[in-house]
């Protein structure tokens, strides 16, 4: 009987792998992840022997939460299945929400149009041509009442992707809930409310950073006291990744922004364990399957250490990084859009294996237009098949202990900690943004990827490999340009019908509070309940806070 001889991974690479390479060259000169971490052909115990895996991994539902924030994860309840939706008018979007709920979504996710995002009413001159295009148009409580008609706000969770005007949209939601007779302590949902990433990667900001941070901490305080089940912020790496960052940059810049929000709340006199449990996160799930899984595990572990060691949080909920995931819009292609179904399915599986709390799967046609009803249903079915048919939700963190995944998790952490240290040295996220540091790093990463794509070192199926000369036209959803005129007509009818004296009194009270230090949320709620418009409230704050313009570029 032949005796088995133990040998190291290095010995294996030096013999077996070398012989294989002599027979046939490998497909590429260098294998690496999106964060430029080299990928070895084989991983063994030697790749993780320097890691204290028991301490690093722990158990699900226990510090440092690497394996998940709940002990049983999806064995108890599947992730919340959301479909990001909103277009045209509140009436049209309300129909789509009812349709999605009838098809099995377990939470709503609201998209708002560009004027709503940057604080302009539908009849403002700068809104022309943009009303209802990339989301639903909301200018007043009247619109919000229509948007949420027939939706039981105590029983569903609603996510609203809104940042600069998050306080106003939350106020509108609260006002509708009150009209429904809902118990505010029972309503649940999330506002994105992450303006720092807008300065970094997206651009829908209004006010300078210090004033934006004041509004955000006011929301923290108000919700901690009045809406305890509401996630007051969804600190977003999604748009950072969409702008071209690597996975390591997505972790680092997101957590650095989160550090700034926590510090701002502490500086405003809030107790960390009173608000930290209402913080949530929003991550992208990109194409590099194992790196994305490792990214989520690394982010959870890092946040637990940040909250315990940097901010001395005591409540276990304060240490938990709970997050929503959206599949990567930037990976969707206009060419051969059916391929996007496959991309989205793999990305969704990575998000689930990484332990997400809720998930949105992109529709196949989103590189071309807003999704049709059919493509939105197919995207939802992708999640349902994943949850109910594949078995991946039956085991908590099934890839834990994988030599490759654990090694990759540790290397992503190392890169991310290095970025966080650099940002701390610059004076924190706000100062790093003002200097253009994070923007510059993302631009360089995006440029590096674009070069790889143009040189065929990175392959996108249907774009620079496996292309078709003639592709059949896709059925697309078109937003009627007459929607803008219709929304303007509604506002023209609303303004003389409301109590304008009361509107002015409440806007003046808001302006006086903005000049001082009073919490703005109760005053914004009072203003929307008087049917003051989103644009009027935003302009009141613009008058006091001013507007932010572009930041300068970083010079190392």
């Amino acid at each position: 009987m032949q005796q088995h001889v133990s040998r190291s991974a290095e010995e294996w690479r030096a013999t077996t792998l070398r012989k294989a390479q002599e027979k046939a060259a490998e497909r590429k000169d260098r294998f690496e992840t999106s964060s430029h971490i080299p990928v070895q052909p084989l991983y063994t115990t030697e790749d993780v022997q320097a890691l204290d895996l028991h301490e690093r991994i722990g158990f699900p539902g226990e510090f440092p939460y690497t394996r998940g924030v709940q002990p049983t994860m999806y064995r108890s309840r599947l992730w919340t299945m959301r479909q990001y939706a909103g277009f045209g008018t509140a009436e049209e979007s309300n129909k789509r929400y009812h349709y999605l709920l009838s098809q099995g979504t377990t939470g709503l996710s609201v998209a708002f149009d560009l004027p709503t995002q940057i604080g302009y009413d539908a009849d403002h001159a700068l809104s022309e041509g943009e009303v209802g295009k990339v989301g639903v148009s909301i200018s007043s409580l009247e619109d919000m009442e229509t948007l949420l008609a027939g939706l039981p706000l105590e029983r569903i969770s609603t996510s609203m992707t809104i940042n600069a005007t998050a306080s106003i949209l939350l106020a509108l939601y609260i006002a509708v809930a009150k009209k429904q007779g809902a118990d505010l302590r029972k309503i649940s949902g999330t506002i994105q409310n992450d303006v720092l990433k807008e300065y970094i990667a997206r651009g829908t900001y209004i006010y300078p950073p210090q004033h934006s941070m004041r509004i955000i901490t006011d929301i923290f305080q108000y919700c901690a006291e009045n809406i305890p089940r509401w996630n007051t912020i969804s600190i977003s790496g999604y748009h950072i990744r969409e702008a071209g960052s690597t996975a390591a940059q997505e972790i680092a810049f997101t957590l650095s922004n989160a550090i700034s929000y926590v510090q701002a709340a502490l500086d405003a006199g809030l107790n960390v364990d009173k608000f930290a449990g209402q913080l949530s996160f929003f991550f992208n799930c990109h194409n590099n399957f194992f790196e994305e899984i490792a990214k989520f595990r690394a982010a959870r572990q890092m946040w637990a250490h940040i909250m315990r060691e940097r901010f001395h949080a005591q409540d276990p909920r304060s240490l938990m990084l709970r997050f929503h995931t959206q599949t990567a819009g930037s990976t969707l292609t206009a060419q051969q859009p059916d391929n996007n179904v496959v991309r989205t399915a793999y990305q969704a599986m990575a998000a689930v294996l990484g332990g997400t709390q809720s998930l949105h799967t992109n529709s196949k046609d989103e590189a071309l237009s807003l999704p049709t009803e059919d493509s939105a249903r197919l995207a939802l079915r992708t999640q349902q098949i994943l949850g109910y048919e594949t078995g991946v939700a039956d085991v908590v963190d099934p890839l834990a202990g994988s030599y490759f995944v654990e090694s990759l998790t540790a290397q992503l952490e190392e890169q991310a900690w290095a970025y966080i240290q650099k940002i701390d040295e610059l004076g924190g996220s706000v100062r790093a943004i003002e200097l253009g540091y994070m923007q510059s790093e993302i631009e360089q990463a995006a440029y590096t990827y674009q070069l790889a794509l143009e040189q065929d070192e990175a392959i996108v199926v249907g774009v620079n490999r496996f292309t078709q000369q003639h592709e059949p036209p896709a059925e697309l959803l078109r937003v009627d340009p007459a929607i803008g005129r219709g929304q303007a007509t509604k506002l023209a009818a609303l303004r003389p019908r409301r109590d304008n004296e009361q509107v002015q009194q409440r806007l003046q009270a808001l302006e006086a509070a903005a000049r001082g230090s009073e919490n703005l949320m109760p005053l914004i709620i009072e203003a929307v309940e008087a049917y003051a418009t989103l644009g009027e409230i935003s302009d009141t704050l613009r008058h006091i806070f001013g507007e932010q313009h572009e930041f300068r570029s970083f010079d190392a």
Side-chain angles (χ1 to χ4, degrees):
M1 184 175 180
Q2 186 176 5
Q3 185 178 4
H4 175 72
V5 179
S6 176
R7 56 180 172 161
S8 70
E10 283 304 314
E11 290 173 328
W12 180 87
R13 291 183 181 117
T15 55
T16 308
L17 183 58
R18 179 177 53 79
K19 290 176 182 177
Q21 288 173 332
E22 287 173 356
K23 293 181 180 179
E26 292 186 326
R27 288 185 293 111
K28 295 189 287 188
D29 293 335
R30 177 180 171 85
F31 289 82
E32 63 180 16
T33 71
S34 79
S35 300
H36 309 295
I37 296 171
V39 176
Q40 301 298 331
L42 180 75
Y43 286 78
T44 72
T45 53
E46 295 174 35
D47 294 286
V48 295
Q49 65 185 3
L51 305 175
D52 185 340
L53 285 185
H54 180 72
E55 182 179 336
R56 286 177 56 83
I57 296 176
F59 292 97
E62 296 180 9
F63 185 87
Y65 305 101
T66 311
R67 303 200 65 182
V69 295
Q70 299 297 335
T72 56
M73 289 298 288
Y74 310 132
R75 286 174 68 98
S76 298
R77 183 171 70 88
L78 292 179
W79 61 94
T80 301
M81 297 183 187
R82 301 189 189 277
Q83 286 305 118
Y84 187 46
F87 62 94
T89 64
E91 290 89 348
E92 290 176 293
S93 295
N94 178 262
K95 289 176 185 176
R96 177 63 65 89
Y97 298 147
H98 281 282
Y99 172 77
L100 289 170
L101 288 170
S102 75
Q103 295 300 307
T105 57
T106 52
L108 298 180
S109 186
V110 184
F112 297 97
D113 71 359
L114 191 57
T116 304
Q117 292 180 49
I118 55 178
Y120 293 118
D121 289 332
D123 60 354
H124 193 283
L126 293 177
S127 299
E128 187 173 349
E130 291 293 340
V131 177
K133 282 289 179 68
V134 299
V136 62
S137 172
I138 300 292
S139 295
S140 72
L141 180 55
E142 200 171 67
D143 289 331
M144 200 67 162
E145 289 171 317
T146 302
L147 182 73
L148 301 175
L151 299 174
L153 300 189
E154 271 192 20
R155 300 202 305 271
I156 61 171
S157 168
T158 304
S159 172
M160 295 190 286
T161 303
I162 196 72
N163 296 282
T165 55
S167 58
I168 303 171
L169 270 301
L170 176 58
L172 289 166
Y173 193 91
I174 290 168
V176 174
K178 287 165 70 174
K179 285 197 164 199
Q180 283 190 2
D183 181 348
L184 294 186
R185 301 190 71 81
K186 292 182 180 178
I187 66 170
S188 64
T190 305
I191 42 173
Q192 194 163 99
N193 197 28
D194 176 9
V195 77
L196 291 181
K197 67 93 174 54
E198 296 295 322
Y199 301 126
I200 296 170
R202 194 162 170 269
T204 64
Y205 49 77
I206 301 175
Y207 318 112
Q210 68 270 26
H211 299 297
S212 295
M213 295 294 274
R214 183 250 178 108
I215 296 171
I216 289 167
T217 56
D218 280 356
I219 292 171
F220 288 178
Q221 183 178 39
Y222 178 85
C223 290
E225 295 172 359
N226 299 279
I227 318 178
R229 295 180 60 192
W230 196 271
N231 296 317
T232 54
I233 192 168
S234 181
I235 306 160
S236 177
Y238 184 85
H239 305 92
I240 289 169
R241 193 65 179 278
E242 290 289 281
S245 82
T246 66
Q249 289 170 344
E250 183 184 359
I251 298 170
F253 298 165
T254 304
L255 296 189
S256 287
N257 287 347
I259 288 168
S260 291
Y261 290 127
V262 173
Q263 189 59 59
L266 294 177
D267 291 345
L270 278 64
N271 180 296
V272 66
D273 286 318
K274 294 294 185 183
F275 69 86
Q278 291 177 277
L279 306 180
S280 66
F281 291 78
F282 175 25
F283 287 112
N284 196 299
C285 199
H286 221 265
N287 277 337
N288 195 299
F289 189 77
F290 290 106
E291 183 177 47
E292 293 303 292
I293 296 166
K295 177 185 77 180
F296 300 133
R297 300 173 81 252
R300 263 195 305 272
Q301 179 168 280
M302 292 174 69
W303 185 242
H305 282 286
I306 287 168
M307 290 305 291
R308 188 175 74 172
E309 293 152 21
R310 185 166 183 155
F311 294 115
H312 311 294
Q314 302 296 316
D315 187 335
R317 188 170 169 80
S318 301
L319 312 179
M320 296 178 186
L321 185 146
R322 298 168 300 108
F323 68 99
H324 170 71
T325 307
Q326 182 174 341
T327 57
S330 60
T331 67
L332 302 178
T333 61
Q335 303 92 327
Q336 302 178 33
D338 284 349
N339 295 345
N340 295 329
V341 177
V342 183
R343 291 184 178 101
T344 295
Y346 287 138
Q347 292 165 8
M349 181 173 280
V352 169
L353 290 172
T356 192
Q357 275 59 70
S358 71
L359 177 61
H360 162 75
T361 35
N362 289 325
S363 300
K364 67 177 184 177
D365 47 5
E366 289 189 56
L368 296 160
S369 72
L370 292 168
T372 63
E373 197 170 88
D374 285 346
S375 63
R377 183 179 63 251
L378 179 58
L380 174 60
R381 295 289 184 259
T382 301
Q383 292 200 53
Q384 292 165 335
I385 290 168
L386 182 60
Y388 293 103
E389 296 187 21
T390 65
V392 299
D394 296 349
V395 178
V396 181
D397 192 23
L399 294 181
S402 157
Y403 304 137
F404 179 36
V405 170
E406 298 299 354
S407 173
L408 195 51
T409 301
Q411 290 180 83
L412 279 170
E413 279 189 60
E414 184 179 354
Q415 283 196 15
W417 282 125
Y419 274 117
I420 290 173
Q421 182 179 356
K422 174 67 174 177
I423 292 165
D424 282 346
E425 290 170 356
L426 291 172
S429 271
V430 174
R431 184 58 181 152
I433 291 166
E434 290 172 344
L435 293 171
Y437 169 68
M438 288 186 267
Q439 300 93 308
S440 176
E441 290 293 304
I442 294 168
E443 287 167 6
Q444 184 57 53
Y447 176 70
T448 300
Y449 174 75
Q450 185 61 34
L451 280 182
L453 195 65
E454 292 175 4
Q455 295 168 2
D456 281 353
E457 293 172 6
I459 304 302
V460 178
V461 173
V463 176
N464 64 345
R465 189 77 65 86
F466 314 114
T467 57
Q468 288 179 238
Q469 290 297 317
H470 303 288
E471 296 186 28
E475 180 186 345
L476 304 178
L477 186 149
R478 304 289 186 189
V479 176
D480 189 343
I483 283 172
R485 295 191 294 275
Q487 290 296 94
T489 300
K490 284 183 184 178
L491 280 169
L494 169 67
R495 288 194 172 100
R497 195 170 65 242
R498 65 189 183 179
D499 184 338
N500 281 294
E501 183 177 345
Q502 184 184 58
V503 169
Q504 290 307 311
Q505 288 173 351
R506 295 192 176 179
L507 291 175
Q508 288 167 7
L510 176 62
E511 180 174 334
R515 292 184 188 278
S517 58
E518 185 179 351
N519 191 305
L520 299 178
M521 274 305 298
L523 295 154
I524 294 172
I525 293 169
E526 289 178 2
V528 302
E529 288 179 328
Y531 290 86
T533 68
L534 173 135
E536 290 167 341
I537 295 169
S538 298
D539 284 347
T540 298
L541 297 178
R542 277 187 180 96
H543 179 65
I544 305 304
F545 296 155
E547 289 186 301
Q548 178 61 45
H549 301 288
E550 290 289 332
F551 295 97
R552 59 182 177 272
S553 299
F554 180 73
D555 183 1

